[in-house]
Amino acid sequence: MKLNIKESLSDKKFRYGGISTLLVAVLIVVVIVINLVISYVPLSVDTTANKYYTISSKTQGVLDKLKDTVHIYGLYEIGYENADVVRLLERYDEASDKIEYKTVDPVVNPQFTIDFMEDKNSPDTRAYATNVIVSYGDRFKVLTEAEDLYRHTYDESGEIAASTLNVEQAVTNAIVSVTAQKNYTITMLSGHGEMRLPEDYEDKLEKTYFYDLEWCDLKNDGFIPAETDILIVNQPMYDLMDDEKEEIMKYLQGYGDAIFIMGRATADTPNFDEVMNYYGIRLGKEVIYEEDSSMWFQVKNAIMPEYKIHSATLDVFASEELMLVNAKPIKTNAVLKTGVTVTELCHTSDKSWASLKFKDAMMQKEDGDIDGPFAPIVGITDSGFSMSDSTAVETRLFVVNCAQFLVSGDVALNIYSNDDFFFSAISWVLNEDSLITIVPKTNVVATHTMSNLALYVVSVIIGIVIPVGILATGLTVYLKRRHL
């Protein structure tokens, strides 16, 4: 039998089969093209409930301001990478052409880690435990999972109760620190029995935020150094001399900024009181006791006051409590001088009270004790205009009336947010976005609870309707094609 090519090409079965084959080929080509495009385009969607793998607008704002390239290195042995950390670091690279991210295996390239050690001759250094390095020029910041990339909450026994991912907070602040245009100078007042800042606080100020720390004894030095950006007076035991008071007033009235942590002195301090009164406050000597059981820890004079929303409290995590032991009230004057504003940054409950009397273990309120609520921490601003060019200027004061505000090495107190409050206060006093706050994230698995009726409907659709629909469609196509 002779094959008639013309008749074969005009046959309905051939034409339908050819069209089907062509459609399948086109579909395959389209799929290949789409896969090639997607492989070259860094396109991904974060479908987690709380945008676990998405950087915030605050971070994007920091990245948009970068003028030169910042290098981020993830130090992980091949096959042992932390997927959550690496994925977020890659988001930084995708978000800005001024960020370059690279994963480095410290086992294969040990010299790379050594280059970032502060003391290359000492084996006892954080660089051996480093997981992330943020580098800009000759400045760098090392971050570890144990101390920086995760934030832990503790139970009352000091055991870790939960961990949240803190990568964005740590890395964004590291970028801000290493790219800072200047190093701020913090001057610590001495000569009045002041306490040094806890060692870990000083270490963080110098090595994490690149602040310069200096000490000033006004009795010997006679003046506050001109380069001072913040004067810190930490728990003085004794009062200022008259000439020291005048020097501090000169500094503050020249729109210098300061942090005062008071409440330790046992004798009267009229010169310190005069400085405080100039800025509209009086430091009470009564110890605060809390009767609201949700706002004290173990004993009534270990209070956990409630934060107030303010720029100075933005870096304090809402999930953590502030702990103040033997705190004392700060009272605001009825009349403030022009330009001065006093803001309570935390407060006790209406059930709190304060007393000058020593209390026994029962800690019961007595006649003569004063009623709350109280504010043991305030922020003060004194606004004015520069004498030289009439530009707006401002003095900022952060005042704490609690000698045990800064505590280090005590697990029971370190689980609270006192350190966050302190570093937040520094950022506010400087009026700089020197510390960026991004709330740590927990990888939340979104769930949806279905009623029995909804579950039944879905089961019917999946188990009966869809299979019957597929079968009916196939049968229809078959019956139609067998008559071609």
Side-chain angles (χ1 to χ4, degrees):
M1 186 173 88
K2 186 177 179 180
L3 178 65
N4 191 324
I5 296 177
K6 186 175 181 179
E7 289 182 1
S8 298
L9 292 174
S10 61
D11 183 72
K12 286 185 179 181
K13 292 183 178 180
F14 181 84
R15 282 191 285 116
Y16 277 101
I19 292 173
S20 298
T21 302
L22 180 61
L23 289 175
V24 171
V26 170
L27 181 61
I28 292 173
V29 171
V30 169
V31 170
I32 292 173
V33 170
I34 290 175
N35 276 278
L36 288 174
V37 171
I38 290 177
S39 66
Y40 285 99
V41 177
L43 179 64
S44 61
V45 178
D46 185 354
T47 59
T48 55
N50 62 342
K51 299 302 179 185
Y52 192 66
Y53 300 109
T54 301
I55 62 175
S56 67
S57 58
K58 290 183 180 180
T59 290
Q60 189 63 59
V62 170
L63 301 184
D64 291 342
K65 295 177 183 178
L66 294 177
K67 296 180 180 179
D68 298 302
T69 300
V70 174
H71 296 274
I72 302 177
Y73 302 101
L75 273 63
Y76 290 101
E77 188 177 350
I78 295 174
Y80 294 92
E81 299 89 348
N82 184 319
D84 289 342
V85 173
V86 171
R87 192 174 303 180
L88 264 173
L89 296 179
E90 289 173 344
R91 291 288 189 268
Y92 280 82
D93 192 294
E94 297 167 4
S96 172
D97 59 359
K98 299 298 183 182
I99 296 290
E100 291 187 4
Y101 172 71
K102 181 180 180 181
T103 300
V104 178
D105 188 335
V107 176
V108 176
N109 190 359
Q111 184 61 41
F112 182 86
T113 304
I114 295 174
D115 290 341
F116 287 96
M117 291 182 181
E118 294 176 6
D119 182 359
K120 296 178 175 57
N121 297 317
S122 172
D124 185 18
T125 175
R126 279 186 52 161
Y128 278 118
T130 293
N131 299 115
V132 174
I133 295 174
V134 178
S135 174
Y136 178 79
D138 59 352
R139 295 163 66 105
F140 63 90
K141 173 75 173 68
V142 297
L143 305 171
T144 71
E145 290 187 3
E147 297 181 19
D148 306 296
L149 304 182
Y150 284 87
R151 190 173 185 87
H152 307 293
T153 55
Y154 300 82
D155 56 26
E156 293 184 1
S157 64
E159 298 295 326
I160 294 178
S163 297
T164 52
L165 193 65
N166 195 46
V167 172
E168 189 181 357
Q169 164 97 353
V171 173
T172 299
N173 275 320
I175 293 172
V176 172
S177 296
V178 299
T179 59
Q181 296 300 309
K182 65 165 289 186
N183 286 2
Y184 289 104
T185 298
I186 296 177
T187 298
M188 304 291 303
L189 189 68
S190 63
H192 314 89
E194 291 90 349
M195 302 289 289
R196 287 189 64 130
L197 295 178
E199 184 178 353
D200 49 342
Y201 284 65
E202 290 186 3
D203 188 67
K204 189 170 184 177
L205 286 171
E206 291 180 312
K207 297 178 181 178
T208 301
Y209 302 118
F210 301 104
Y211 292 167
D212 296 325
L213 295 183
E214 295 186 0
W215 283 261
C216 174
D217 185 341
L218 288 175
K219 293 178 183 177
N220 298 320
D221 301 333
F223 60 90
I224 296 171
E227 64 271 19
T228 299
D229 293 297
I230 303 178
L231 175 68
I232 294 183
V233 182
N234 185 31
Q235 307 172 53
M237 178 66 77
Y238 312 111
D239 197 17
L240 298 167
M241 303 292 287
D242 290 344
D243 54 346
E244 294 176 318
K245 178 198 67 178
E246 295 303 325
E247 178 61 25
I248 289 179
M249 289 300 299
K250 177 182 175 182
Y251 166 78
L252 295 176
Q253 290 173 348
Y255 297 102
D257 301 312
I259 292 176
F260 290 88
I261 301 175
M262 310 296 286
R264 180 164 169 255
T266 55
D268 291 339
T269 54
N271 283 328
F272 271 123
D273 293 343
E274 187 174 334
V275 174
M276 297 294 104
N277 187 64
Y278 181 84
Y279 289 98
I281 62 172
R282 291 164 289 127
L283 303 180
K285 296 183 179 181
E286 305 89 351
V287 172
I288 300 173
Y289 299 85
E290 182 61 74
E291 293 291 345
D292 186 333
S293 59
S294 67
M295 298 181 68
W296 57 273
F297 176 73
Q298 294 186 342
V299 289
K300 295 178 182 179
N301 60 325
I303 64 171
M304 298 185 296
E306 182 179 343
Y307 304 117
K308 287 203 172 182
I309 298 175
H310 186 270
S311 300
T313 62
L314 290 180
D315 293 343
V316 184
F317 294 98
S319 61
E320 297 181 352
E321 301 286 354
L322 179 66
M323 167 68 77
L324 301 177
V325 179
N326 291 331
K328 300 174 182 179
I330 296 178
K331 306 165 186 177
T332 303
N333 295 342
V335 179
L336 303 177
K337 81 179 189 69
T338 303
V340 170
T341 301
V342 179
T343 304
E344 298 178 353
L345 300 181
C346 66
H347 62 87
T348 61
S349 75
D350 293 337
K351 298 178 181 179
S352 62
W353 50 275
S355 178
L356 287 171
K357 302 176 183 177
F358 173 78
K359 299 295 181 181
D360 58 20
M362 297 300 293
M363 296 186 180
Q364 296 297 318
K365 183 181 178 183
E366 303 176 59
D367 292 339
D369 295 338
I370 59 176
D371 294 323
F374 306 104
I377 304 177
V378 300
I380 302 172
T381 57
D382 182 13
S383 303
F385 295 92
S386 171
M387 297 292 290
S388 59
D389 55 12
S390 298
T391 57
V393 288
E394 188 176 65
T395 291
R396 293 191 173 194
L397 305 181
F398 178 78
V399 184
V400 181
N401 200 10
C402 177
Q404 299 183 51
F405 175 61
L406 302 181
V407 180
S408 180
D410 186 338
V411 173
L413 284 175
N414 284 340
I415 64 176
Y416 294 94
S417 62
N418 297 37
D419 55 342
D420 290 328
F421 212 144
F422 176 71
F423 290 110
S424 178
I426 289 178
S427 180
W428 173 75
V429 166
L430 287 172
N431 199 18
E432 291 281 346
D433 292 330
S434 52
L435 305 177
I436 303 298
T437 303
I438 297 102
V439 177
K441 298 177 181 178
T442 302
N443 194 354
V444 179
V445 178
T447 59
H448 177 70
T449 303
M450 299 179 66
S451 65
N452 291 334
L453 177 60
L455 186 61
Y456 175 77
V457 172
V458 170
S459 300
V460 169
I461 292 174
I462 294 176
I464 299 176
V465 175
I466 293 178
V468 169
I470 294 173
L471 180 62
T473 302
L475 183 61
T476 301
V477 172
Y478 168 75
L479 292 175
K480 193 172 183 180
R481 289 175 65 90
R482 66 182 292 213
H483 295 296
L484 293 176

